[in-house]
Amino acid sequence: MARTRRHMATGKPALAGFMFAAVAATVLTLVVGMGIASGAIEGDASTIGIGQVRASQNADESSFNASEKLGIAQGEGNEQLTQATRRTISVSDPEPVVELAAIDLDDANTVAAAAKVGVLNPPKTAKRLKIDTSGEGWMTGQASGYDVATSSTLTRSGREFNDDCVTVAVPEGQEDLLGHPVIIVYEDKVVVATVTDTGGFAKYGRVLDLGGGVHKAFGFDDIWEWGVREVHYKFL
């Protein structure tokens, strides 16, 4: 029994030494490993941020490809795209309008009246409005046409007449309407003309005699092609 105790007592220092050696080896391994990792970072310092550089390059390439697809030169891409964006933001849809086929531009009063009705040559993208001819002041009747050959260059108002005038004649006895603007609607076309003449056509059941600029705006080259047609009209 005594001999066994001495053997066990002697073995404790040996075990302690073995454990110390194992711990020391582990610590050394960790230190060496950390040193190698640190050295690897220092040795590859040239690669730091390479992902960021590549991402930036990829972004530039994507921007260039997008510009190239739009037909924009690389150096001008950003500027032109910015201008396109500004145009997109600043441009709005035109207001709905009544499109006028013709206006008597030689009479300032008629031009001012026409501006309250509609416009000549509105933007193609503008919605066209249709005039309501059922309201107050609107009348319907048969209109003929006249020209210099069947009449003369003189009018009751004193204004010279030609075959392109956007003017009309009213029946005799309605001289009080001379100088007044009149809206005339035929199908989907609208003309704002000036009353400059009178004629003896009421006995034929006609309410207006149209100058050449009026029936031409409606799509008829001469008075024979126009003939006599129904129109809606309103004196302003």
Side-chain angles (χ1 to χ4, degrees):
M1 293 296 290
R3 188 177 296 177
T4 301
R5 284 197 300 271
R6 282 197 301 271
H7 178 73
M8 291 178 64
T10 310
K12 288 181 180 180
L15 180 59
F18 174 76
M19 292 178 65
F20 176 78
V23 171
T26 301
V27 172
L28 179 62
T29 301
L30 290 174
V31 172
V32 171
M34 291 176 65
I36 292 173
S38 177
I41 292 174
E42 294 176 357
D44 295 337
S46 62
T47 64
I48 294 177
I50 193 170
Q52 182 179 358
V53 172
R54 288 177 177 171
S56 176
Q57 290 175 344
N58 290 338
D60 291 340
E61 290 175 0
S62 298
S63 176
F64 172 74
N65 291 336
S67 299
E68 189 175 32
K69 290 178 181 178
L70 290 172
I72 301 172
Q74 183 178 10
E76 302 172 354
N78 292 336
E79 180 180 354
Q80 293 192 24
L81 286 173
T82 300
Q83 292 175 354
T85 301
R86 288 174 180 168
R87 285 195 296 270
T88 301
I89 294 172
S90 62
V91 175
S92 58
D93 293 334
E95 293 292 329
V97 294
V98 171
E99 181 175 11
L100 302 180
I103 300 172
D104 179 18
L105 298 175
D106 293 327
D107 189 287
N109 188 38
T110 299
V111 171
K116 299 177 181 179
V117 177
V119 296
L120 290 171
N121 304 316
K124 292 182 178 180
T125 55
K127 181 180 179 181
R128 269 56 170 176
L129 298 177
K130 186 176 181 179
I131 286 184
D132 181 9
T133 57
S134 64
E136 183 179 357
W138 282 97
M139 296 176 280
T140 302
Q142 299 294 314
S144 54
Y146 75 116
D147 57 16
V148 172
T150 59
S151 180
S152 70
T153 59
L154 298 178
T155 65
R156 184 67 184 270
S157 67
R159 176 173 163 179
E160 186 175 355
F161 177 74
N162 62 58
D163 290 339
D164 291 316
C165 282
V166 186
T167 59
V168 302
V170 294
E172 291 177 344
Q174 298 183 11
E175 285 79 9
D176 59 310
L177 292 174
L178 291 173
H180 280 255
V182 56
I183 310 173
I184 309 164
V185 179
Y186 174 71
E187 294 183 344
D188 60 344
K189 293 183 173 65
V190 182
V191 170
V192 183
T194 306
V195 179
T196 60
D197 208 356
T198 62
F201 48 83
K203 57 187 176 183
Y204 302 111
R206 303 170 192 170
V207 296
L208 295 174
D209 218 3
L210 309 182
V214 180
H215 63 68
K216 288 177 183 178
F218 288 148
F220 300 86
D221 291 334
D222 54 52
I223 60 174
W224 313 111
E225 185 181 0
W226 169 258
V228 178
R229 297 172 185 267
E230 185 177 86
V231 298
H232 303 285
Y233 64 104
K234 179 180 180 180
F235 297 105
L236 303 175

